[in-house]
Amino acid sequence: MSRGSGIIPDESMFNEFKRQCLSTENWLSKYDKNGMEVWVEVAPVSSQGNKGNNSKIHKIKCRITIDDVSAATMYDVLHDSLYRKTWDPTMLESFDIARLGANSDVGYFSWMCPKPLKNRDVVTLRSWQASEDEYVIFNFSVKHPNYPPRKDLVRAVSLLTGYLIKPTGKNSCVFTYLSQADPRGSLPRWVVNKASQVLAPKVLRSVYMAGQKYPAWKAEHNPDYKPWLYPIQSELAMMDPAKLSIQRGDSLENVDESTSRDTQENEDSS
């Protein structure tokens, strides 16, 4: 996808991300209950015989129809890193590193994986756009000179991950999450199945509930501070985007966890 003359995404990349969020071609439904849907991408018939490196790329799309939270509130929830600490139990560490422009930054995120898999982390460049018709946030992995891979975590790669939120009313919206990632490991089949059938719906439900509670929480936590809407409020230092480069998966350690067994599989399926 095009990033214009530099690493910062241009309008064509926003359009491509939105196209993928709305596309139905080559997506297989794995979950459809209570206004929540989850799909995994399947290779086109013409390319199924060509495994290559693409077999290590995991692509999942989730969508939830929300009838009591506005698109603007859900957008704020995704941006508010302080609030995320209150609702995301899988997060280990998250912080913004530097600003790259009015609607882009670079940040760090690490999270817990289902046992016995190793925990992961990423360094990503994030960009966003907001309008009356839609809200968009997406990221992709980059190399930052001060944040190399850690020995205690597996550095994963986000090829394109983000959110498309479209208002359907004053306090309702359709919330879509798309992830195209290389976890840097040969994951066992139970992980892939669990991600689409158990973990993804659970995460969507958590984000939705966070949206329901956010207005009350924000009213007591610096309610006027929203640097994602008002860049002048940001206290992050600016960074030259030229110091960043795209993170390629083949330059990172590949962990074989294909024989790992889920120690809590019976508990989660009960």
Side-chain angles (χ1 to χ4, degrees):
M1 274 186 284
S2 171
R3 296 184 177 88
S5 59
I7 198 170
I8 303 295
D10 60 11
E11 191 64 28
S12 67
M13 191 168 181
F14 277 92
N15 290 336
E16 173 61 16
F17 174 76
K18 289 184 286 186
R19 185 197 66 79
Q20 291 195 39
C21 284
L22 299 174
S23 172
T24 58
E25 187 177 0
N26 300 321
W27 288 95
L28 175 66
S29 176
K30 301 291 286 187
Y31 185 96
D32 187 355
K33 295 180 182 178
N34 303 318
M36 190 182 305
E37 301 172 84
V38 180
W39 303 266
V40 293
E41 188 182 52
V42 294
V45 175
S46 59
S47 62
Q48 285 183 354
N50 182 18
K51 305 265 183 184
N53 291 332
N54 289 335
S55 61
K56 296 180 180 179
I57 304 303
H58 295 264
K59 198 165 182 179
I60 188 170
K61 180 161 55 179
C62 315
R63 183 173 296 140
I64 181 171
T65 300
I66 297 174
D67 60 10
D68 59 350
V69 184
S70 70
T73 295
M74 295 305 298
Y75 181 69
D76 288 346
V77 166
L78 296 173
H79 272 290
D80 199 324
S81 57
L82 184 62
Y83 183 58
R84 185 163 188 165
K85 296 176 182 178
T86 71
W87 64 265
D88 188 350
T90 67
M91 184 181 75
L92 293 173
E93 190 176 11
S94 177
F95 54 87
D96 299 328
I97 298 171
R99 284 190 297 156
L100 303 174
N103 70 328
S104 59
D105 61 18
V106 58
Y108 175 86
F109 185 80
S110 60
W111 69 96
M112 291 184 290
C113 292
K115 294 180 180 180
L117 303 183
K118 294 183 178 180
N119 296 331
R120 259 70 175 175
D121 71 350
V122 289
V123 174
T124 59
L125 188 159
R126 179 179 60 168
S127 292
W128 58 90
Q129 287 182 349
S131 68
E132 292 184 359
D133 299 326
E134 62 189 14
Y135 298 81
V136 182
I137 308 173
F138 67 80
N139 69 61
F140 52 86
S141 285
V142 293
K143 291 182 181 180
H144 189 292
N146 298 335
Y147 295 90
R150 292 167 44 170
K151 293 183 179 180
D152 59 326
L153 297 168
V154 176
R155 177 62 52 89
V157 176
S158 167
L159 283 79
L160 186 65
T161 299
Y163 308 86
L164 171 64
I165 313 168
K166 297 187 77 67
T168 56
K170 184 178 180 180
N171 288 299
S172 60
C173 62
V174 175
F175 181 100
T176 303
Y177 168 73
L178 173 72
S179 176
Q180 182 179 356
D182 181 353
R184 298 313 299 155
S186 301
L187 299 182
R189 183 172 296 277
W190 67 261
V191 171
V192 179
N193 291 336
K194 188 172 184 178
S196 60
Q197 299 173 17
V198 179
L199 298 181
K202 185 181 295 185
V203 170
L204 273 185
R205 199 170 294 113
S206 295
V207 176
Y208 166 49
M209 293 176 64
Q212 292 177 310
K213 299 175 182 177
Y214 183 72
W217 180 91
K218 187 60 175 174
E220 299 181 356
H221 296 81
N222 207 353
D224 297 324
Y225 181 71
K226 296 184 177 182
W228 52 92
L229 295 178
Y230 314 110
I232 195 171
Q233 294 180 342
S234 179
E235 300 173 353
L236 279 178
M238 288 291 294
M239 176 182 180
D240 181 0
K243 294 182 179 180
L244 301 173
S245 59
I246 301 298
Q247 176 68 73
R248 308 294 182 187
D250 53 14
S251 67
L252 295 169
E253 176 188 9
N254 194 66
V255 181
D256 186 1
E257 297 164 300
S258 58
T259 59
S260 298
R261 299 187 64 182
D262 185 1
T263 57
Q264 298 183 359
E265 188 170 9
N266 292 333
E267 178 182 339
D268 290 334
S269 60
S270 62

